[in-house]
């Protein structure tokens, strides 16, 4: 039997005690079950009925509100009923069990939102935004999740898919009339359209990357030699004494992590063991863990004592990860705070004792990821969205190359099809069932 033929029920409010608790039902039996529990003969749509909730033996279990949302004008697109009772754990469990005994089954994690997706009330990007809105840890991420939920991201994806569809029709028509004297692909129209698509897609990638950082936070690894000031920098950014700071080299042996907000952007600051040759087994393990964190970082902050001129550690870092070199202890050489832009990396001159120039580092961390706290059009994005955009961009780039270099119309059409399918996975118009299962399994039960 298809999933949508079952009526599902779940507690929609968080665990624990509260003034109000909500039982949500969705499906063909939802209204019938609600009538049996409330003894109401009719349920006015979108009206709050104050009523008692009756057990099977006619004893009153609780009292509260009953709201009915008939299909298709509901969250899931099915008949939906909400029972608002008192927020006690036992009371809600009894009310849920009563609903299950009357024909509903317990909802799976995210099943209400999954049904909304399957019934075309939300696309997949909007459905994911529901969970992201609930999990938001900053005001900016709340606004961005709301943008995604309203369809800002989906609208841009759909526009690109529409353009790709029209372009594919043009290219495939040219293939059908390849023996005609008219050169459909040589007039520059297709090349210009592909180039414009590429520009729009790359701009969308930048915005999506910022949305991913708002959702997941940016991982910033503090690296460098012992006693360069990494732990002092962690404490300064965190605003409290998170790490032990001593004059003894190699004080930090393990990985220390602090989660902070930088002007609305979540940051995961990771302090690591000093990088140096060591015979100490414990310190060696700390260095191994430091190198593992460096390999997964969004940004590396290499902390250097300004009295040292060696930067050989920078050569050991992955090339794809941006590096900010922080020259610490400028107070010892009478230098002023400053930002210097070099080829491939940025240098920041600051002092942590006394604190001078720390705001320069905060600003550069935002600049390195293109973060803009005033961007109202930013939407929440996930790693799978970024990957899909990257695949689409690669395919469009290949399509342009096949057109300009090989003049291979069939290969151009195939690359455009690949780009279109990749973008369609974002909204769910072209998605595998196992992907849907993974996405909705991450939701809370009752949503």
């Amino acid at each position: 039997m298809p999933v949508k033929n079952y009526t599902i029920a779940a507690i929609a409010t968080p665990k624990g005690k509260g003034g109000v608790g909500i039982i949500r039902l969705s499906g063909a039996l939802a209204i019938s079950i609600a009538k049996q529990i409330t003894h109401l003969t009719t349920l006015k749509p979108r009206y709050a009925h104050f009523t008692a909730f009756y057990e099977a033996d006619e004893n009153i279990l609780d009292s509260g509100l009953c709201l009915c949302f008939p299909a298709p004008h509901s969250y899931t697109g099915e008949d939906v009923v909400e029972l608002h009772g008192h927020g006690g754990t036992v009371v809600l469990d009894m009310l849920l069990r009563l609903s299950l005994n009357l024909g509903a089954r317990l909802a799976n994690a995210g099943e209400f939102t999954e049904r909304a997706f399957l019934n075309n009330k939300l696309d997949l990007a909007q459905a994911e935004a529901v969970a992201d809105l609930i999990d938001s840890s900053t005001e900016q991420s709340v606004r961005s999740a709301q943008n995604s939920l309203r369809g800002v991201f989906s609208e841009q994806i759909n526009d690109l898919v529409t353009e790709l569809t029209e372009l594919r029709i043009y290219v495939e028509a040219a293939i059908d009339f390849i023996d005609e004297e008219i050169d459909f692909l040589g007039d520059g129209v297709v090349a210009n359209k592909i180039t414009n698509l590429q520009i729009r897609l790359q701009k969308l990638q930048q915005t999506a990357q910022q949305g991913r950082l708002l959702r997941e936070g940016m991982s910033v690894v503090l690296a460098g030699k012992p006693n360069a000031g990494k732990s002092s920098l962690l404490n300064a950014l965190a605003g409290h004494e998170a790490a032990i700071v001593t004059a003894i080299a190699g004080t930090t042996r393990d990985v220390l992590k602090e989660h902070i907000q930088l002007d609305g952007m979540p940051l995961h600051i990771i302090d690591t063991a000093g990088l140096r040759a060591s015979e100490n087994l414990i310190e060696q393990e700390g260095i191994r863990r430091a190198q593992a964190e460096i390999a997964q970082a969004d940004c590396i902050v290499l902390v250097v004592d300004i009295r040292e001129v060696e930067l050989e550690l920078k050569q050991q870092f992955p090339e794809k990860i941006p590096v900010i070199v922080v020259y610490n202890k400028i107070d010892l050489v009478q230098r002023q705070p400053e930002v210097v832009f070099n080829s491939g990396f940025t240098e920041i001159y600051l002092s942590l004792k006394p604190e001078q120039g720390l705001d320069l580092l905060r600003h550069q961390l935002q600049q390195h990821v293109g973060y803009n706290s005033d961007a109202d059009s930013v939407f929440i994005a996930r790693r799978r969205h970024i990957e899909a955009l990257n695949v689409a961009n690669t395919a469009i780039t290949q399509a342009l190359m096949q057109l300009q270099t090989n003049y291979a119309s069939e290969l151009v059409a195939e690359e455009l099809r690949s780009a279109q399918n990749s973008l369609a996975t974002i909204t769910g118009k072209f998605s595998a069932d196992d992907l849907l299962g993974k996405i909705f399994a991450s939701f809370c039960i009752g949503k």
Side-chain angles (χ1 to χ4, degrees), residues 104-378:
R105 69 158 174 80
L106 186 63
N108 297 320
E111 191 168 0
F112 288 93
T113 305
E114 182 180 15
R115 291 188 176 201
F117 165 70
L118 294 174
N119 290 325
N120 296 316
K121 304 296 287 187
L122 300 169
D123 65 33
L124 193 54
Q126 290 175 301
E128 289 171 304
V130 173
D132 294 333
L133 180 62
I134 294 171
D135 294 336
S136 294
S137 59
T138 68
E139 291 183 7
Q140 182 65 29
S141 61
V142 167
R143 295 188 183 97
S144 298
Q146 282 285 8
N147 284 340
S148 288
L149 187 54
R150 290 199 306 270
V152 172
F153 186 23
S154 301
E155 184 178 349
Q156 295 187 53
I157 293 296
N158 290 334
D159 286 347
L160 287 172
V161 169
T162 299
E163 287 194 30
L164 278 167
T165 301
E166 294 173 354
L167 192 54
R168 282 184 59 196
I169 292 171
Y170 189 90
V171 172
E172 291 175 11
I175 296 173
D176 292 337
F177 293 97
I178 197 168
D179 294 329
E180 301 292 332
E181 295 182 0
I182 302 174
D183 187 356
F184 288 93
L185 302 183
D187 57 5
V189 173
V190 173
N192 288 336
K193 288 187 175 182
I194 294 177
T195 301
N196 290 334
L197 274 171
Q198 196 172 33
I199 293 171
R200 289 182 57 190
L201 183 56
Q202 289 171 353
K203 184 177 180 180
L204 186 60
Q205 284 178 291
Q206 294 174 356
T207 309
Q209 176 65 13
Q210 181 168 331
R212 182 191 71 81
L213 291 171
L214 279 172
R215 179 180 182 271
E216 300 178 4
M218 182 172 71
S219 174
V220 179
V221 173
L222 309 181
K225 290 183 177 180
N227 265 11
K230 299 184 300 299
S231 295
S232 295
L233 181 55
L234 173 69
N235 292 341
L237 291 171
H240 64 92
E241 297 296 318
I244 298 173
V245 177
T246 73
I248 302 173
T251 302
T252 302
R253 299 292 182 89
D254 206 345
V255 172
L256 298 178
K257 299 183 179 182
E258 279 292 314
H259 306 291
I260 68 171
Q261 286 188 33
L262 186 59
D263 195 17
M265 180 178 71
L267 280 184
H268 308 299
I269 307 295
I270 304 169
D271 185 19
T272 60
L275 301 176
R276 65 173 178 179
S278 175
E279 299 296 327
N280 186 297
L281 293 178
I282 298 177
E283 190 171 2
Q284 287 178 1
E285 175 60 20
I287 293 171
R288 186 195 67 77
R289 295 186 182 188
Q291 292 169 338
E293 293 292 342
I294 288 170
Q296 301 177 45
D298 291 311
C299 179
I300 299 170
V301 174
L302 174 58
V303 185
V304 179
D305 188 326
I306 195 170
R307 295 167 297 180
E308 299 181 10
V309 296
E310 298 292 335
L311 281 179
E312 71 276 3
L313 287 178
K314 184 178 180 300
Q315 310 305 320
Q316 303 175 16
F317 300 150
E319 293 183 1
K320 64 179 181 179
I321 301 177
V323 176
I324 299 175
V325 179
V326 170
Y327 286 99
N328 187 25
K329 307 180 184 180
I330 60 173
D331 56 302
L332 300 179
V333 296
Q334 304 301 311
R335 178 158 182 169
Q336 294 299 310
E338 185 183 8
V339 178
V340 177
F341 299 100
N342 282 318
S343 177
F345 63 96
T346 303
E347 296 177 349
I348 299 179
Y349 294 83
L350 56 75
S351 175
L352 298 170
K353 295 180 180 180
E355 186 176 302
Q356 300 174 346
L358 189 60
D359 286 341
L360 297 176
L361 175 59
R362 292 191 179 103
H363 180 69
Q364 286 304 311
L365 286 173
Q366 292 178 311
Q367 293 297 310
H368 264 62
V369 296
Y371 179 77
N372 179 8
S373 61
D374 297 324
D376 293 331
S377 60
V378 174

